Amino acid sequence: MAERVQQPPAKRLCCRPGYSTTCRQGQRSGGTVCGSGSGQGGSSKTQSPESLLDIAARKVAEKWPFQRVEERFERIPEPVQRRIVYWSFPRSEREICMYSSFNTGGEESASSGESGDETRLPFRRGIALLESGCVDNVLQVGFHLSGTVTEPATPSEPEMVCSVAISFDRCKITSVTCGCGNKDIFYCAHVVALSLYRVRRPEQVKLHLPISETLFQMNRDQLQKFVQYLITVHHTEVLPTAQKLADEILSQNSEINQVHGAPDPTAGASVDDENCWHLDEEQVQEQVKLFLSQGGYHGSGKQLNLLFSKVREMLKMRDSNGARMLTLITEQFMADPRLALWRQQGTTMTDKYRQLWDELGALWMCIVLNPHCKLEQKAAWLRQLKKWNSVDVCPLEDGNHGNELPNLTNALPQGAHGNQDLGARPHRTVFTRAIEACDLHWQDSHLQHIINDDLYTNYCYHDNTENSLFDSRGWPLWHEHVPTACARVDALRSHGYPREALRLAIAIVNTLRRQQQKQLELFRNHKKDLLHKGVTSITNLEGWVGHPLDPIGTLFSTLMETGRGDEDGPHGGFLDFSAGSMSSSKHSELHLFPSTRRFLEEGESYLALAVETALMGLGQQRIMPDGLYAQEKVCRNEEHLIAKLQEVDLDDTLVKIFRKQAVFLLEGGPYSGLGELIYRESVPMHTFAKYLFTCLLPHDAELAYKIALRAMRLPVLESTSPSGDMSRPHHIVSVVPNRYPRWFTLSHIESQQCELASTMLTAAKGDARRLETVLESIQKNIHSSSHIFKLAQDAFKIATLMDSLPDITLLKVSLELGLQVMRMTLSTLNWRRREMVRWLVTCATEVGVYALDSIMQSWFTLFTPTEATSIVATTVMSNSTIVRLHLDCHQQENLASSARTLALQCAMKDPQNCALSALTLCEKDHIAFETAYQIVLDAATTGMSYTQLFTIARYMEHRGYPMRAYKLATLAMAHLNLSYNQDTHPAINDVLWACALSHSLGKNELAAIIPLVVKSVKCATVLSDILRRCTLTTPGMVALHSRRNSGKLMSLDKAPLRQLLDATIGAYINTTHSRLTHISPRHYSEFIEFLSKARETFLMAHDGHIQFTQFIDNLKQIYKGKKKLMMLVRERFG
């Protein structure tokens, strides 16, 4: 709390007309301690009965402002005044703790205090200061408590003495000040220490009546002495103020003389003052603004959630500051500048921030549903909510900026306030439900009986209609829109009415159970008709799990808290604040109400009822909501509720409930998400079914598998939706348009479907029948190749665990799933495809040689030709596979034969990519190798590129087939085309290699390839390089077999080198002209070097000198405009 050093002005003016000075003179010259006089109440250590004076004074102190007491009675005896003043200070530590720590008992998280050390929290520190004797000079004057608190010295800080002042009224602290200067929402440790001193040690506090009473006893001399002494003691601080007041009092027309009486800060509250605990509104606003500005960093989201928890705590204590604090928080949220920015940019707020808004809306729902709220207060809240609701940037309930589904299930009545203006709004904001809830009331007599009477039954009631008030057992039912009814339960709990909340929760759950039974009977009667039509009716567009009001979560929490009370006794969960004790049980506010057990089945517990409620809610068939946030909320709430269920240990009673609900869900038709028919966009049950499967498996495996297999479906991904009666408005196909693929959480849903399947596979290990059933379900219902691949991998891991022999049935399931993945991804792009193919070969290897042979026989349905040759066949023929399978020679040969056959088939189908692999795989079989080579030759003239042919040609040379390599090289040259400026083309090395190969084979081969080179290569530098290499050695000198000529070098004047020389000179001439067309000065020197290389080639001809001179002269004539360049040419070449 921001403790201001200056005490606020007194709330009311005090005077004592009608009192005689003589009768008061000297009566109260001294003070008495708080506990003195008759009846010390809670502070007394005797066992004597409390006096009537104390009883009456305590009641007056709790309810009446002291001004009303003074106005009511002309004279109040001093002992009566003292007891009223005494009892006016708070007697409970609970509220002091609430205003000095985030949670009652001070059990905040590590991030909420000054540090993770709980002892550093204000309430705990205050207790420590009190118990270590740091509180001193405690004085109570009327309704004002003051004292000093000494903060002990630390290694980094000196000792500090803080002056603390506290005002109080009707058992509430109404203002605090402290000299420590601490700025926070909550009271500082020094205020806590002084407050607890007064609560725990009232007999040690000197008590005086209000200062105005004391002054009234003084005569003029005493008053003058009093004032002069006061000024003398504090002259530096009060002298200017004292002089100013004196001047105003002496002035007849001053404002101060127009008022009867004078202010007294110790005289208590006036009649008009609001009676509430001190809350520093400015600090609340500043802190919320700070947390919002941090954008979720530094734990700000957690801090805001703790503030919301504080609001709930205040509501539970029925503290009016709860609504006050929430109003301040909401104003800061609405002023957040990011709202306008996000709306302008069309972006969505972060998920955590969105959840804070949800909690804000839920809290307002609780506040307006306060069962004892005054009408004028509710009207004020409604005006405020409508004001916020009308702001453009007000967040929407579903988190979208687009239109949403009509609120078909909103059963809230339209009351006197009339919310017709909301109908024109296209959106529902986070405040819409709270605005609608303002029309709800608690005056229904049936509702009043339910929440107030444990004995409310009607055993003679025989109305068996859908909306009957009692069931067949005479137990009360409550028919209302379920989220709205549960909002009432949450409001009762939030406002400190746990018993009433429990009664209503039980009535709602009994109503849901009765409806479930009725729905089951209805479906059984019309099952044939519905199954024949193949449609289901909409039972709820607004699902309970993921709903903004969280109805199932509310019922579950209400019943669970009461159920856990069984372990702690009737009050085992209460915090003990007496005598300074702060011990608490694990569950802080758990109650046990034995009388409400009359509405439970025999042997049933609140825990069992909570579990059954959660199962009913999770199993409800409901449509997937629109929008990313709403869909994520469905998943998040479902997982949160299941996590809560997983904390419950299953006993025989709970197993029976699981069995009962499982049967209901399987047979529940359109009302169940696990019924025989569901509409296309029903929320999937994978996560819930996985939990049910795990729980039921040890007790009823057959039922567990029925549930899990039924839940595996995902109809939104099916290509065809069920045919329906389009004329019937209650059929899903005619009410909700097809929104796929706007299932934003589809990837998460598919992963949950995969998890469910994996769980079943794991459980079914060793059971061939179950594995076959699960496999069929996976193949039918899972549409994602990635997830099927994951399941295949999971099955493989489970089947090949190191501590046991491989499970061959599960291995076959794994292989079958892998084969399905191969077929699904064969014609589509998948970045994991190579990994999938390698894994499948590994899996087939584990299954056995027949599996490997099988995938090679049917390769064309599983693999691309490239995959089949480069991965499958290569792996199959590797030594590691042979060793792994322990194959004999005959088996090895059969497997190799299949691999060669596969390779040849692939080479025929895709020679460009598979020919080389086919040649490699067929090396050891002459016939197969020749066949593969012929396939290459046949494809060379049509579909193969020069790069592929050069690669195969090099392979042939490496394998010792130079003539075949030469043949392929000539075929490759026919596909090549190198232009004049491609002097860095990657094929140049292949051309040089081909010419070198031809040169090594002999003159004839070289003569045959040079015309191909001249035709394909126009790059002068490449041609000159080839020409130079051909003139260095005699053709055939490095032939493999024998020398084929006399060793004489080939002449440049004769074919084929003459043809190559002319082509090279021509290429230089053409390239020169091409380069000169767009040459720039920075390339002049490079061009001169190029001409120098050209001259070397020209000079290789017998008349080359003359040709080059003529060539230079032509350049000078044609390009004489390029004077600088031509000057450089003349300098170099004359």
Side-chain angles (χ1 to χ4, degrees):
M1 185 67 66
E3 287 83 18
R4 296 177 295 275
V5 176
Q6 294 297 323
Q7 181 74 18
K11 295 182 178 178
R12 65 187 182 91
L13 304 176
C14 300
C15 61
R16 294 293 181 268
Y19 281 72
S20 167
T21 56
T22 56
C23 72
R24 287 176 171 263
Q25 182 88 19
Q27 283 184 350
R28 304 176 196 166
S29 57
T32 59
V33 295
C34 282
S36 65
S38 61
Q40 294 182 20
S43 302
S44 175
K45 296 188 184 228
T46 66
Q47 298 299 317
S48 59
E50 196 171 15
S51 70
L52 185 59
L53 169 61
D54 272 304
I55 294 172
R58 188 172 68 245
K59 291 300 180 184
V60 168
E62 290 172 357
K63 302 296 183 184
W64 284 25
F66 197 62
Q67 182 183 7
R68 178 168 294 174
V69 177
E70 292 176 326
E71 292 173 350
R72 180 74 177 271
F73 306 101
E74 184 176 347
R75 181 182 176 189
I76 309 168
E78 180 183 333
V80 176
Q81 288 192 57
R82 287 185 177 279
R83 299 319 291 165
I84 292 174
V85 169
Y86 170 79
W87 288 113
S88 291
F89 196 85
R91 296 184 292 279
S92 170
E93 295 183 10
R94 192 182 189 90
E95 286 85 356
I96 297 170
C97 177
M98 182 169 73
Y99 280 93
S100 57
S101 54
F102 272 112
N103 295 328
T104 301
E107 295 182 8
E108 287 96 326
S109 63
S111 65
S112 62
E114 296 175 23
S115 69
D117 184 4
E118 188 181 291
T119 61
R120 296 302 302 161
L121 301 172
F123 188 76
R124 297 293 187 187
R125 286 175 52 222
I127 292 176
L129 290 170
L130 172 64
E131 293 177 347
S132 57
C134 295
V135 181
D136 200 6
N137 303 317
V138 181
L139 175 68
Q140 180 177 340
V141 179
F143 297 87
H144 185 272
L145 183 70
S146 62
T148 58
V149 179
T150 303
E151 188 80 58
T154 65
S156 58
E157 297 289 338
E159 180 181 278
M160 179 174 64
V161 179
C162 301
S163 297
V164 183
I166 299 172
S167 295
F168 53 91
D169 170 47
R170 284 168 276 178
C171 300
K172 294 183 176 74
I173 292 175
T174 55
S175 72
V176 300
T177 62
C178 180
C180 70
N182 181 50
K183 298 287 184 182
D184 200 355
I185 294 176
F186 303 117
Y187 301 167
C188 68
H190 314 112
V191 171
V192 172
L194 181 61
S195 302
L196 294 184
Y197 187 97
R198 172 62 176 80
V199 172
R200 297 184 183 184
R201 306 172 188 174
E203 69 282 354
Q204 297 178 22
V205 178
K206 187 173 258 190
L207 186 149
H208 297 267
L209 291 180
I211 193 66
S212 54
E213 288 285 333
T214 305
L215 295 176
F216 193 68
Q217 300 171 40
M218 298 181 186
N219 58 29
R220 186 191 180 287
D221 291 339
Q222 289 173 320
L223 283 171
Q224 182 164 359
K225 183 178 291 188
F226 171 79
V227 173
Q228 287 182 216
Y229 267 101
L230 181 63
I231 294 173
T232 301
V233 174
H234 299 288
H235 66 278
T236 57
E237 295 144 21
V238 304
L239 187 56
T241 305
Q243 186 60 55
K244 179 182 177 183
L245 289 173
D247 293 342
E248 290 186 10
I249 290 172
L250 292 174
S251 174
Q252 291 296 327
N253 299 323
S254 65
E255 184 180 348
I256 200 170
N257 284 323
Q258 307 304 313
V259 180
H260 185 60
D264 179 2
T266 68
S270 67
V271 175
D272 299 328
D273 285 342
E274 184 181 0
N275 182 227
C276 59
W277 284 79
H278 174 59
L279 179 69
D280 193 325
E281 297 188 2
E282 182 183 347
Q283 275 302 306
V284 172
Q285 292 172 318
E286 288 299 319
Q287 291 286 327
V288 175
K289 186 187 294 185
L290 174 64
F291 293 150
L292 288 174
S293 69
Q294 291 173 348
Y297 300 102
H298 313 296
S300 58
K302 197 167 189 176
Q303 295 281 5
L304 288 167
N305 272 316
L306 288 169
L307 283 180
F308 288 145
S309 299
K310 179 58 63 179
V311 172
R312 285 194 177 273
E313 188 183 346
M314 290 176 173
L315 295 181
K316 189 169 287 189
M317 300 286 285
R318 302 174 197 173
D319 186 333
S320 61
N321 278 339
R324 213 168 130 214
M325 188 169 179
L326 186 63
T327 301
L328 297 171
I329 294 172
T330 307
E331 286 173 348
Q332 293 305 311
F333 266 71
M334 290 299 297
D336 190 341
R338 291 178 296 172
L339 291 177
L341 183 64
W342 286 329
R343 177 62 60 92
Q344 182 182 2
Q345 295 176 343
T347 54
T348 57
M349 61 182 72
T350 62
D351 197 48
K352 287 185 177 180
Y353 187 53
R354 175 69 242 198
Q355 290 176 47
L356 292 172
W357 275 102
D358 279 357
E359 178 66 6
L360 203 64
L363 281 170
W364 275 115
M365 188 85 173
C366 283
I367 284 174
V368 300
L369 278 177
N370 183 350
H372 297 293
C373 173
K374 295 178 181 178
L375 289 177
E376 58 268 23
Q377 182 64 73
K378 185 180 284 189
W381 287 333
L382 179 61
R383 287 192 299 273
Q384 183 65 68
L385 288 167
K386 283 188 172 182
K387 179 182 174 183
W388 290 327
N389 190 71
S390 63
V391 178
D392 286 340
V393 296
C394 184
L396 305 180
E397 183 178 77
D398 67 348
N400 294 331
H401 297 302
N403 291 328
E404 52 182 28
L405 289 169
N407 189 21
L408 300 182
T409 57
N410 185 7
L412 297 176
Q414 296 293 325
H417 299 120
N419 292 324
Q420 287 82 4
D421 59 318
L422 294 175
R425 287 180 59 81
H427 311 306
R428 293 174 61 81
T429 74
V430 290
F431 300 117
T432 301
R433 291 185 186 271
I435 292 172
E436 293 170 342
C438 289
D439 292 333
L440 290 174
H441 60 78
W442 295 83
Q443 277 69 52
D444 183 274
S445 59
H446 183 58
L447 176 61
Q448 285 295 315
H449 281 301
I450 289 174
I451 64 177
N452 291 317
D453 190 355
D454 285 326
L455 305 176
Y456 183 47
T457 56
N458 190 335
Y459 298 113
C460 301
Y461 192 88
H462 297 298
D463 181 6
N464 199 32
T465 60
E466 185 177 347
N467 294 318
S468 60
L469 299 180
F470 299 88
D471 62 16
S472 58
R473 301 165 296 188
W475 295 358
L477 304 173
W478 180 242
H479 296 278
E480 190 176 27
H481 176 228
V482 172
T484 305
C486 294
R488 291 183 186 271
V489 175
D490 191 29
L492 288 169
R493 289 175 66 215
S494 298
H495 289 282
Y497 301 100
R499 185 187 297 268
E500 290 80 358
L502 177 63
R503 291 178 185 133
L504 182 55
I506 292 173
I508 294 170
V509 174
N510 283 333
T511 306
L512 294 180
R513 292 202 289 192
R514 180 175 180 271
Q515 287 176 349
Q516 187 184 48
Q517 185 64 46
K518 293 275 186 189
Q519 290 164 353
L520 181 60
E521 293 169 3
L522 180 66
F523 177 65
R524 283 174 176 168
N525 294 335
H526 299 85
K527 184 174 181 179
K528 289 184 179 179
D529 183 43
L530 283 172
L531 290 177
H532 176 69
K533 287 184 178 180
V535 296
T536 61
S537 60
I538 299 176
T539 59
N540 204 341
L541 282 175
E542 201 176 34
W544 299 335
V545 174
H547 191 279
L549 300 179
D550 192 20
I552 298 300
T554 297
L555 293 175
F556 183 79
S557 299
T558 304
L559 295 166
M560 281 295 288
E561 286 181 2
T562 312
R564 285 171 176 160
D566 289 335
E567 303 164 10
D568 297 328
H571 303 288
F574 279 129
L575 284 168
D576 180 11
F577 289 91
S578 60
S581 170
M582 282 300 298
S583 62
S584 66
S585 66
K586 181 179 180 182
H587 307 292
S588 59
E589 292 198 19
L590 308 179
H591 309 268
L592 180 65
F593 307 124
S595 54
T596 55
R597 285 185 174 276
R598 67 185 302 111
F599 298 126
L600 301 181
E601 298 281 0
E602 184 178 353
E604 190 175 41
S605 65
Y606 296 119
L607 178 65
L609 195 62
V611 170
E612 186 167 11
T613 303
L615 297 182
M616 284 192 289
L618 288 165
Q620 176 209 26
Q621 182 168 186
R622 54 202 182 271
I623 195 167
M624 178 66 78
D626 201 3
L628 170 62
Y629 179 73
Q631 292 176 14
E632 287 180 338
K633 190 170 183 180
V634 167
C635 298
R636 185 168 55 246
N637 282 26
E638 180 184 41
E639 290 166 2
H640 177 73
L641 194 52
I642 290 173
K644 291 290 186 184
L645 284 170
Q646 287 172 333
E647 295 175 3
V648 179
D649 295 327
L650 296 188
D651 55 18
D652 293 341
T653 304
L654 292 180
V655 169
K656 288 179 183 177
I657 290 173
F658 270 78
R659 279 184 169 143
K660 181 182 95 171
Q661 280 301 319
V663 172
F664 272 152
L665 292 171
L666 287 171
E667 300 179 3
Y671 308 96
S672 164
L674 291 166
E676 289 183 58
L677 287 173
I678 54 172
Y679 42 85
R680 187 170 183 263
E681 297 197 36
S682 174
V683 173
M685 296 281 115
H686 307 128
T687 309
F688 177 44
K690 179 186 171 186
Y691 168 70
L692 284 179
F693 177 81
T694 306
C695 293
L696 286 170
L697 189 64
H699 310 283
D700 191 337
E702 192 66 31
L703 185 59
Y705 277 99
K706 279 183 182 178
I707 286 283
L709 291 168
R710 177 73 61 82
M712 276 292 290
R713 59 198 171 182
L714 189 54
V716 75
L717 293 182
E718 301 293 343
S719 56
T720 57
S721 58
S723 59
D725 183 355
M726 299 296 288
S727 65
R728 302 284 294 280
H730 66 270
H731 288 116
I732 191 68
V733 289
S734 60
V735 174
V736 182
N738 180 9
R739 295 175 296 158
Y740 178 72
R742 280 161 53 190
W743 276 37
F744 300 100
T745 55
L746 190 58
S747 61
H748 174 76
I749 288 167
E750 286 188 283
S751 68
Q752 292 300 305
Q753 182 189 35
C754 179
E755 287 295 321
L756 174 61
S758 180
T759 303
M760 284 195 287
L761 283 174
T762 304
K765 181 179 181 180
D767 188 330
R769 181 179 65 85
R770 298 252 193 244
L771 284 172
E772 183 180 352
T773 308
V774 175
L775 174 62
E776 290 174 1
S777 178
I778 292 170
Q779 292 175 324
K780 176 184 176 183
N781 295 299
I782 297 185
H783 304 276
S784 163
S785 59
S786 297
H787 288 124
I788 297 178
F789 182 51
K790 180 183 181 302
L791 288 171
Q793 290 177 306
D794 289 348
F796 183 78
K797 290 175 185 174
I798 299 164
T800 56
L801 290 174
M802 296 300 292
D803 57 350
S804 60
L805 291 173
D807 185 319
I808 193 63
T809 308
L810 195 52
L811 270 176
K812 289 179 179 177
V813 168
S814 175
L815 179 63
E816 191 60 42
L817 291 174
L819 294 174
Q820 184 178 348
V821 172
M822 291 298 103
R823 289 188 285 268
M824 290 174 71
T825 58
L826 179 59
S827 58
T828 59
L829 293 175
N830 191 304
W831 64 275
R832 298 184 66 190
R833 174 75 185 178
R834 288 184 67 83
E835 177 194 353
M836 292 172 173
V837 174
R838 292 183 187 281
W839 178 87
L840 183 75
V841 176
T842 303
C843 182
T845 304
E846 288 296 322
V847 174
V849 66
Y850 69 91
L852 286 174
D853 192 59
S854 175
I855 64 173
M856 287 194 291
Q857 295 289 342
S858 57
W859 70 268
F860 46 88
T861 65
L862 305 171
F863 314 109
T864 64
T866 305
E867 292 167 346
T869 54
S870 64
I871 301 176
V872 180
T874 304
T875 306
V876 167
M877 294 186 68
S878 66
N879 287 330
S880 59
T881 303
I882 294 170
V883 172
R884 180 75 183 87
L885 293 173
H886 307 292
L887 302 180
D888 57 31
C889 294
H890 178 68
Q891 290 173 319
Q892 289 181 36
E893 181 53 36
N894 287 341
L895 206 57
S897 177
S898 295
R900 287 192 292 268
T901 303
L902 175 150
L904 293 174
Q905 290 172 348
C906 292
M908 288 288 291
K909 191 174 181 67
D910 185 9
Q912 295 91 338
N913 297 309
C914 300
L916 181 58
S917 296
L919 287 166
T920 305
L921 290 166
C922 296
E923 282 180 355
K924 295 182 180 179
D925 186 288
H926 178 70
I927 297 175
F929 186 82
E930 290 299 322
T931 305
Y933 176 65
Q934 190 58 48
I935 291 171
V936 174
L937 292 179
D938 294 342
T941 56
T942 54
M944 297 187 74
S945 68
Y946 63 83
T947 303
Q948 294 163 338
L949 288 170
F950 274 131
T951 302
I952 297 172
R954 285 178 180 261
Y955 162 81
M956 283 294 186
E957 184 197 26
H958 183 69
R959 285 288 182 265
Y961 298 104
M963 288 307 296
R964 290 185 175 184
Y966 167 75
K967 174 67 175 174
L968 292 173
T970 59
L971 293 172
M973 289 297 299
H975 294 284
L976 181 65
N977 183 23
L978 277 179
S979 63
Y980 76 93
N981 59 351
Q982 290 183 297
D983 52 359
T984 58
H985 195 281
I988 292 174
N989 284 333
D990 289 322
V991 174
L992 295 175
W993 168 83
C995 291
L997 175 67
S998 303
H999 189 275
S1000 68
L1001 291 175
K1003 182 177 179 180
N1004 294 336
E1005 288 79 4
L1006 183 61
I1009 204 169
I1010 282 178
L1012 296 175
V1013 172
V1014 169
K1015 182 180 178 181
S1016 300
V1017 180
K1018 306 302 180 186
C1019 182
T1021 54
V1022 175
L1023 289 172
S1024 64
D1025 194 6
I1026 295 171
L1027 181 63
R1028 190 174 299 104
R1029 293 178 186 224
C1030 290
T1031 59
L1032 293 177
T1033 58
T1034 302
M1037 287 296 288
V1038 291
L1040 294 177
H1041 302 293
S1042 63
R1043 293 178 58 175
R1044 294 161 55 182
N1045 55 40
S1046 59
K1048 185 179 179 181
L1049 294 175
M1050 295 181 68
S1051 172
L1052 290 171
D1053 295 330
K1054 298 179 181 179
L1057 292 188
R1058 180 66 196 186
Q1059 183 182 1
L1060 181 57
L1061 177 60
D1062 291 344
T1064 306
I1065 292 172
Y1068 269 116
I1069 293 172
N1070 291 334
T1071 303
T1072 299
H1073 287 296
S1074 296
R1075 294 182 70 166
L1076 283 172
T1077 305
H1078 302 100
I1079 196 167
S1080 62
R1082 63 193 177 94
H1083 294 131
Y1084 284 176
S1085 59
E1086 180 186 338
F1087 178 73
I1088 296 298
E1089 294 303 319
F1090 174 77
L1091 286 181
S1092 298
K1093 292 181 179 178
R1095 182 172 61 180
E1096 293 175 5
T1097 302
F1098 272 80
L1099 295 177
M1100 294 177 77
H1102 72 279
D1103 57 348
H1105 180 72
I1106 298 172
Q1107 289 187 54
F1108 187 71
T1109 301
Q1110 292 175 347
F1111 173 53
I1112 293 297
D1113 291 341
N1114 286 339
L1115 290 181
K1116 294 174 185 176
Q1117 183 64 31
I1118 296 173
Y1119 301 101
K1120 60 185 177 181
K1122 300 181 183 294
K1123 295 180 180 180
K1124 184 177 180 180
L1125 177 60
M1126 291 303 108
M1127 183 183 71
L1128 293 174
V1129 170
R1130 281 193 295 271
E1131 287 178 359
R1132 177 68 68 92
F1133 305 109

